[in-house]
Amino acid sequence: MAEDEIPESDRRTRRRETPEERADRRWTELIQEIRVAQTGVQILLGFLLTVVFTPHFQGLEQTDKTIYLVTVVLGSLATGALIGPVAFHRIVSGRRIKPQAVVWASRLTFLGLILLLATLVSALFLILRVATHDGYVPWLVSGVVAWYLVCWFGLPLWARIRYTNGDGLSSDE
């Protein structure tokens, strides 16, 4: 029987896995990735939530308080996006839509990473602004943002372009 005659649902990928096996593998990989980002954003948000109760907070300029509020909201949004895939999976579990659930969970995770980036940048800006009040703070934060962009997006995209052939497969497969 030729591969063209095999129903789409029974075809195997180059890894010799069915669509269901691939979804299971991708889900497991995604959850591992989420654990790393989720832990970081939760620790950061926990710290940020306590700042408002310190005596020093009341003495901050209104601009710094606004930056703080933006940072807390961004951290909350990032937390929601990074926890979202777990809730998504729990709600759709057993409904035989894991491949679609993996796609949506991946999108939520990517959004969570973007929001985490914004949270980290905002928190760094606030901390350096309060600590130094120097004019070089925006430049320093811009350098850190550039570093995050290179590490989080630039290198992976470079590797994706360099080592795959456009269909997501390694150029040596």
Side-chain angles (χ1 to χ4, degrees), residues 80-168:
L82 291 169
I83 293 174
V86 176
F88 195 102
H89 182 264
R90 185 55 22 227
I91 290 169
V92 302
S93 182
R95 305 286 182 205
R96 299 180 189 264
I97 60 168
K98 188 172 256 180
Q100 295 85 354
V102 169
V103 168
W104 281 102
S106 181
R107 290 174 182 165
L108 276 172
T109 302
F110 190 77
L111 176 60
L113 291 174
I114 298 294
L115 290 165
L116 176 57
L117 173 66
T119 304
L120 289 168
V121 169
S122 183
L124 180 64
F125 182 68
L126 176 62
I127 290 167
L128 293 178
R129 185 178 147 86
V130 170
T132 68
H133 297 289
D134 287 332
Y136 67 83
V137 167
W139 295 104
L140 185 56
V141 172
S142 296
V144 173
V145 169
W147 178 248
Y148 286 159
L149 292 175
V150 166
C151 292
W152 293 11
F153 304 107
L155 290 174
L157 288 172
W158 172 81
R160 182 177 179 167
I161 292 166
R162 171 77 171 88
Y163 296 110
T164 63
N165 58 12
D167 61 1

Side-chain angles (χ1 to χ4, degrees), residues 37-49 67-83 111-123:
Q38 196 178 68
T39 301
V41 76
Q42 287 174 328
I43 290 169
L44 178 59
L45 182 61
F47 168 75
L48 287 169
L49 292 175
I67 295 168
Y68 168 78
L69 292 174
V70 168
T71 304
V72 169
V73 169
L74 287 169
S76 296
L77 293 171
T79 300
L82 291 169
I83 293 174
L111 176 60
L113 291 174
I114 298 294
L115 290 165
L116 176 57
L117 173 66
T119 304
L120 289 168
V121 169
S122 183

